[in-house]
Amino acid sequence: EYNQYLAAFPFLTIDEVSQIHDALKLYDGQCAVLVLGAVAVDSGVLSSISVTHLAVASQCVAFLAELTMLLQRKLRTVCPSDKLAPFIEKELNRVQKDFVDHRNEFFVKIVSMVKERVDSAAFQFDSSDWKTKGHEWMIALLKEVARLVKQLRPILRPQDLNAVMMP
């Protein structure tokens, strides 16, 4: 029934898309600023931004990117005007591109944090002790990676987890 009203009154479609567009851009911007810009830490909301925070934020942004695509498809079928469809496409494509870009930034940050943990473990190890203590260092490193995988497995899709652990 709602779709019939949108088809009968195209100006409602413009208003609806405008409101949805504003809400999506606001969420995307706030998510990026809070997590990628570390404003959540600066404002005291979080003590630090962890790999888990980044993974959850990336999944939320991925969900909204998919939802934007579905919304585009739905509005294309409802929208009767040829002039209105390009407007809808342009605005929602821009929002979806921002979601994808921010999601990629989340993954770059996650990979960076994983690499920092591995590098910090490597700096703690003196290469001259490799023959006597190498296995201990390797076990500690594998435990850290296993802990990260355990944290991320319930949040990320398998292909995303593989991309993080094997960039």
Side-chain angles (χ1 to χ4, degrees):
E1 190 174 302
Y2 187 69
N3 291 338
Q4 292 172 346
Y5 287 119
L6 290 178
F9 304 103
F11 62 88
L12 288 177
T13 306
I14 292 173
D15 188 46
E16 175 190 9
V17 169
S18 176
Q19 295 294 324
I20 291 170
H21 173 267
D22 292 346
L24 291 172
K25 286 218 45 102
L26 178 66
Y27 179 83
D28 184 46
Q30 288 298 312
C31 185
V33 167
L34 286 171
V35 180
L36 289 173
V39 172
V41 174
D42 295 341
S43 64
V45 174
L46 296 172
S47 58
S48 66
I49 295 179
S50 69
V51 173
T52 306
H53 294 125
L54 290 167
V56 168
S58 77
Q59 291 304 93
C60 291
V61 168
F63 168 74
L64 289 174
E66 291 294 320
L67 184 66
T68 304
M69 254 187 358
L70 294 172
L71 178 66
Q72 254 181 318
R73 205 174 301 145
K74 181 66 174 176
L75 289 174
R76 226 180 282 135
T77 63
V78 173
C79 182
S81 171
D82 291 338
K83 295 178 183 174
L84 187 58
F87 168 77
I88 292 171
E89 293 289 323
K90 180 181 170 189
E91 291 304 312
L92 292 179
N93 280 339
R94 188 177 313 142
V95 171
Q96 185 178 15
K97 182 185 178 311
D98 289 345
F99 282 137
V100 170
D101 291 346
H102 285 139
R103 185 160 195 252
N104 290 338
E105 289 177 37
F106 285 127
F107 281 125
V108 166
K109 185 71 172 172
I110 292 170
V111 168
S112 166
M113 290 175 80
V114 169
K115 186 176 179 332
E116 282 177 21
R117 289 186 186 180
V118 169
D119 288 347
S120 71
F123 286 125
Q124 294 172 359
F125 184 73
D126 185 15
S127 60
S128 63
D129 293 337
W130 179 254
K131 289 185 179 182
T132 58
K133 298 180 184 174
H135 66 284
E136 294 170 11
W137 172 80
M138 189 56 95
I139 288 172
L141 181 64
L142 289 173
K143 282 182 181 178
E144 179 65 18
V145 170
R147 189 181 66 74
L148 285 170
V149 169
K150 187 177 178 182
Q151 282 180 337
L152 295 175
R153 183 175 285 136
I155 301 168
L156 297 177
R157 298 178 306 176
Q159 61 267 33
D160 293 337
L161 183 61
N162 287 341
V164 167
M165 290 300 161
M166 299 174 278

